[in-house]
Amino acid sequence: MPQSQADFCPPLSRAVRTHNPPAMASEPQKPSNRTELAHMPGHGIRRLQQTAVALFMQDAEASSLTPVQFAVLHTLVAQPGIDQRTLAREVSFDTSTIGSVVDRLEARGLVTRSLSDLDRRVRLLHLTAEGEQLAHRVAPAVQRVQERILEPLSPTERQDFMRMVARVVAHHGAADGRDGF
């Protein structure tokens, strides 16, 4: 039986527990309210991120790519010649961090930068032949990772989970100037 959304992510008010640590002989016990980590959405999301990265590194190990580097290659396959700012927006990363990711990919000979004819301050990004081949070669492993991440869920639960993730990301993305995934 599928769990309800409340079962998946219980409200914090239900997660608050009274914790009474062992008292010293001379100290009176003071109740303290603390939220169990297992009931904190942020903790669960961080743990899921750790799981996703670990699975990625297992399945895509031969590529020597990180998940973010794959996201860059994948995006440049679909949108060759975009600028770094657009790339950062597409992969939901800040522009300064994406710059260092592109630097590493360029050093590996997977990405090139060229000046825009319209604005000489803008660098356009392209995959090299090697970068495009690697993106295509690692894509099946990345797809397997996505399936492994959601493996414990039924097909319906997978759709529900992705819909809820998109909703939360869109809600908070609007607050930070991003528009979802």
Side-chain angles (χ1 to χ4, degrees):
M1 167 182 261
Q3 295 178 328
S4 71
Q5 186 174 356
D7 291 334
F8 178 74
C9 183
L12 287 179
S13 60
R14 285 197 317 174
V16 173
R17 308 278 188 251
T18 301
H19 175 70
N20 295 322
M24 305 277 282
S26 62
E27 292 182 31
Q29 287 185 344
K30 295 180 185 176
S32 72
N33 290 336
R34 78 166 209 238
T35 303
E36 298 295 331
L37 285 176
H39 297 285
M40 292 181 172
H43 180 72
I45 291 165
R46 183 185 63 78
R47 293 286 295 127
L48 185 56
Q49 167 66 8
Q50 288 175 320
T51 299
V53 170
L55 292 172
F56 181 94
M57 298 312 282
Q58 288 171 8
D59 283 13
E61 181 179 15
S63 71
S64 298
L65 291 174
T66 67
V68 174
Q69 290 171 338
F70 173 77
V72 167
L73 297 183
H74 182 75
T75 301
L76 291 177
V77 165
Q79 300 177 58
I82 61 174
D83 64 273
Q84 201 162 295
R85 184 176 303 250
T86 302
L87 174 65
R89 187 174 54 249
E90 291 293 317
V91 299
S92 300
F93 244 69
D94 62 277
T95 53
S96 58
T97 303
I98 207 68
S100 63
V101 173
V102 171
D103 288 344
R104 286 189 291 280
L105 292 171
E106 187 176 36
R108 286 183 60 186
L110 302 173
V111 172
T112 61
R113 299 179 210 206
S114 61
L115 293 174
S116 167
D117 291 337
L118 301 175
D119 185 343
R120 304 299 283 173
R121 298 169 295 176
V122 174
R123 300 275 180 153
L124 304 177
L125 305 171
H126 296 272
L127 292 177
T128 63
E130 184 181 351
E132 190 163 351
Q133 289 169 1
L134 180 59
H136 289 296
R137 193 171 65 242
V138 76
V142 173
Q143 183 57 43
R144 280 192 306 277
V145 169
Q146 308 318 299
E147 292 164 8
R148 287 180 66 197
I149 291 168
L150 298 179
E151 189 173 59
L153 304 177
S154 71
T156 301
E157 289 171 325
R158 292 174 187 198
Q159 291 176 348
D160 291 345
F161 176 77
M162 291 306 299
R163 182 182 45 74
M164 287 186 277
V165 167
R167 183 174 170 189
V168 171
V169 169
H171 171 81
H172 294 290
D176 71 5
R178 299 178 189 176
D179 50 350
F181 284 113

